[in-house]
Amino acid sequence: MRTDEIYYERLTWPKIREAAAADKVVIIPFASIEQHGPHLPVDVDLRLASEVCVRAAKRNPNSLVMTPLAFGFEAHHMAWPGTIDVDWDLLVKYGVCVVSSLIRGGFKRILIINGHGSNRPLLDLIVRLSQIKHPEALVAGQSWFALGAVAKAFQPLQESEHTSHACELETAAYLAIDPDRVDMEQAVADYSFRRGPHFWSDLTGRRPDPDSTVPLVVMEYFATGSATGVRGDPTKATAEKGEAALEAAANEVSEIIDEIRQREILPPPDYRDADVEELKRRARPTGRR
């Protein structure tokens, strides 16, 4: 397979029809265009999410990479120039429209890989609404930085207190794919975010200490917790750390593609008139499936 044949938009419609008939998984990068401090371009989330998807597709021939959903929910990031904000409800409807079009074209298995923290609740809605609308398909998603393999690969290398935004992880990953676009002379540690027992976050889920509580879901205006647009310490980033994280993410996404293809798509049952005792018998464990 030619490398460019992993890209959905570079195929003819007969080729797309063949891919759908082959039950390929369509991977959709979901990202944003937003400020990432004085040292990184505004396309960080887009480049990194797309990079993970492309690497995974190169590993796994049972997949295609869809044209990215390039913009994100950004109302809290508008204190600095460069950010493009799209209303959350438009993004959700847009995402569902893209998924619906793919399913109408014959694809049955869709995987959305997110690269922007504040897209996470929108990713949840796109996946849930698409699945309800199309029970004949399987729609799933996750943020690349939240994958277990990324935590396992990156956390032992991490030297900063936490990873959050334009941080050690994102800077390292960008250094791995396009170092000429990273101005490390402008990189600065910014720990002005006021962390507390319930006010903390980390891209890979690393807790501030072993006894840390589960953090609150909260998104204050970003500039109240960052002077530079950075949260974390990008000065600790290296291309080697970034390559480790990206490779780990791509490997896990490739494994997810296989798992999605193997998962049977079941029609939704209707239990309104079902026999309760029969349902209880069916619910008894019969071993792992």
Side-chain angles (χ1 to χ4, degrees), residues 24 27 66 82-83 124 133-134 146 156 170-171 173 232 240 272:
K24 291 195 175 187
I27 323 169
M66 182 60 189
T83 303
D124 193 331
K133 185 176 181 181
H134 298 285
E170 290 190 322
T171 303
E240 292 74 21
R272 287 175 293 181

Side-chain angles (χ1 to χ4, degrees), residues 149-161:
V150 175
K152 186 175 181 180
F154 188 78
Q155 287 183 6
L157 306 175
Q158 184 176 332
E159 298 179 80
S160 52
E161 291 181 16

Side-chain angles (χ1 to χ4, degrees), residues 96-260:
V96 173
C97 284
V98 171
V99 171
S100 294
S101 295
L102 290 168
I103 294 170
R104 181 174 178 177
F107 292 98
K108 296 183 292 185
R109 304 173 195 275
I110 314 296
L111 175 62
I112 305 173
I113 297 298
N114 175 48
H116 172 48
S118 290
N119 279 351
R120 284 178 286 193
L122 308 189
L123 171 65
D124 193 331
L125 282 172
I126 292 170
V127 167
R128 290 172 183 265
L129 292 173
S130 297
Q131 189 65 73
I132 291 169
K133 185 176 181 181
H134 298 285
E136 74 279 14
L138 177 60
V139 184
Q142 186 52 272
S143 302
W144 77 267
F145 47 78
L147 295 169
V150 175
K152 186 175 181 180
F154 188 78
Q155 287 183 6
L157 306 175
Q158 184 176 332
E159 298 179 80
S160 52
E161 291 181 16
H162 64 272
T163 59
S164 178
H165 186 78
C167 55
E168 182 181 5
L169 174 60
E170 290 190 322
T171 303
Y174 213 106
L175 282 170
I177 64 173
D178 196 353
D180 291 341
R181 303 303 306 170
V182 183
D183 187 353
M184 290 302 289
E185 291 185 0
Q186 294 296 319
V188 58
D190 191 328
Y191 287 126
S192 55
F193 176 65
R194 298 162 297 150
R195 290 205 295 177
H198 290 90
F199 287 84
W200 65 272
S201 65
D202 187 273
L203 289 181
T204 67
R206 191 174 82 163
R207 292 171 175 266
D209 60 69
D211 297 324
S212 297
T213 59
V214 175
L216 291 169
V217 176
V218 61
M219 180 46 70
E220 299 161 298
Y221 278 93
F222 202 83
T224 66
S226 176
T228 62
V230 173
R231 281 188 186 173
D233 187 356
T235 69
K236 305 296 186 184
T238 66
E240 292 74 21
K241 293 178 183 178
E243 185 66 19
L246 291 170
E247 283 291 286
N251 285 332
E252 185 165 351
V253 171
S254 179
E255 293 170 1
I256 291 170
I257 291 166
D258 288 335
E259 186 175 355
I260 287 174

Side-chain angles (χ1 to χ4, degrees), residues 9-24:
E9 68 269 20
R10 298 182 190 176
L11 300 179
T12 63
W13 70 258
K15 289 280 190 181
I16 290 174
R17 183 172 62 183
E18 291 174 9
D23 202 20
K24 291 195 175 187

